[in-house]
Amino acid sequence: MNTTQAARLLQQFIPDATCMEVIPVGSGNINDTFYIKAQTSPNAMQHLILQRLNHHVFREPERVMDNWVQVTTHLAAQPHYPYAIPVPLNTVRKKWLHKDEAGNFWRMFPFFENTETPEGRADVYVAQEAARAYGAFARALQAFPAKNLAETLVGFHDTEQRWKVFEEVLQADVAGRVRQIQEEIGRLCATRSVTHQIAALKASGDLPLRVTHNDTKAGNVLLHRDTKKAVAVIDLDTVMPGTLLSDFGDMVRTFVPSTPEDAKERPQIRGDIYEALENAYLEETGGFLAAGERAYLPLGGLWMCAEQALRFLSDYAAGDVYYKIRSADHNLVRA
């Protein structure tokens, strides 16, 4: 994106602003994000985030933003929520999204200055800061009626349904790869009892319906560049009704392994990181968790690892039709 293109979009939100600089931000697989430096008066500069919301993934962008606004409005009303809140800007037409001539949806947020996202493998301190931030997010939303939120990705953590899809993919074997992944299929089948247990706990009410973030990786917590303290929980596109076990489990999946998910070597489980995550998360959530949530919290890690492996292996067997890949066996390595 060049400055002229950014200026046209900027003026849909701040009509008198001049775009001075535009810089791509991050390497996300879904949305396109840009930092904008805007002059809003002769002596004032404003720092902003401009983002294209991928409507091919989020097929109802307005519902995504309705969730986002409901949640951030609630957070802003909580006097003890200690983090900055990514409140979107209105367009000149008093909407949360601008739809351009090509059918793309754009939104704008304040830029939180002097912040960064963690790079590389998180250490104990970063894990604690992130877990506290995600825990405080859950605590501040504990009284929010989760059923008021839309499912922005229907069936996102319906692992039983994902198993049905996997079985259909194996049966069809359109890419001719099923024979070579028998060992991985066997390992996945050994986790099937976890899927059944989670489904039973949900059905019984032992895992209450909560507002969940659903993408609790290190990169969705902004840290202060100097102190490394958590500043904000961001990327609320996947905030939906769910169970907190998936949020804790996704932290385990993304923080605890010693290697990235697409490294070819077998990862080690970093026990000190797991302990830091669990202790920090419970510091924030322990006062309101139901007995079942607390008792089965560790199960969330196994569930999320198994579910994501299922998704990667499904995509590999189907011929790599969903995830971006950088090599022929990328999804198999991830699985």
Side-chain angles (χ1 to χ4, degrees), residues 143-155:
F144 186 95
K147 290 182 179 179
N148 287 5
L149 299 178
E151 281 192 82
T152 54
L153 294 170
V154 177

Side-chain angles (χ1 to χ4, degrees), residues 114-129:
N114 204 30
T115 62
E116 62 185 9
T117 54
E119 302 216 359
R121 295 289 84 189
D123 60 20
V124 166
Y125 183 81
V126 169
Q128 288 173 331
E129 281 298 301

Side-chain angles (χ1 to χ4, degrees), residues 98-119:
H98 166 66
K99 186 176 182 181
D100 66 19
E101 299 85 356
N104 294 308
F105 291 84
W106 296 89
R107 58 193 178 178
M108 187 164 277
F109 303 94
F111 175 76
F112 297 127
E113 297 186 58
N114 204 30
T115 62
E116 62 185 9
T117 54
E119 302 216 359

Side-chain angles (χ1 to χ4, degrees), residues 148-305:
N148 287 5
L149 299 178
E151 281 192 82
T152 54
L153 294 170
V154 177
F156 189 56
H157 285 315
D158 185 349
T159 321
E160 296 279 68
Q161 180 59 36
R162 290 193 182 279
W163 265 102
K164 292 177 183 176
V165 171
F166 181 58
E167 289 163 353
E168 291 168 2
V169 167
L170 296 184
Q171 184 69 30
D173 195 17
V174 295
R177 293 173 170 178
V178 170
R179 173 186 265 180
Q180 72 187 71
I181 58 172
Q182 291 302 304
E183 182 180 353
E184 288 78 13
I185 293 170
R187 289 180 187 172
L188 269 179
C189 287
T191 72
R192 195 70 189 267
S193 61
V194 175
T195 304
H196 292 324
Q197 187 176 7
I198 292 290
L201 289 168
K202 287 180 182 179
S204 69
D206 286 336
L207 300 180
L209 195 68
R210 304 273 194 194
V211 177
T212 47
H213 185 282
N214 290 303
D215 195 8
T216 51
K217 61 188 179 185
N220 283 335
V221 174
L222 294 180
L223 303 179
H224 191 279
R225 188 171 283 115
D226 301 322
T227 67
K228 306 306 179 186
K229 288 281 188 183
V231 172
V233 173
I234 60 171
D235 194 357
L236 309 185
D237 291 339
T238 54
V239 171
M240 293 180 279
T243 166
L244 292 181
L245 261 65
S246 65
D247 273 5
F248 179 73
D250 223 22
M251 279 190 279
V252 173
R253 182 182 72 82
T254 55
F255 282 81
V256 169
S258 60
T259 62
E261 69 183 12
D262 55 1
K264 292 199 173 186
E265 63 268 28
R266 186 183 294 270
Q268 300 299 309
I269 299 301
R270 301 191 294 166
D272 57 338
I273 301 296
Y274 178 87
E275 186 176 354
L277 290 173
E278 185 175 59
N279 289 342
Y281 193 68
L282 286 172
E283 281 178 23
E284 296 291 340
T285 62
F288 73 88
L289 290 183
E293 290 173 308
R294 189 167 189 130
Y296 292 104
L297 194 65
L299 191 65
L302 182 54
W303 172 34
M304 285 296 98
C305 289

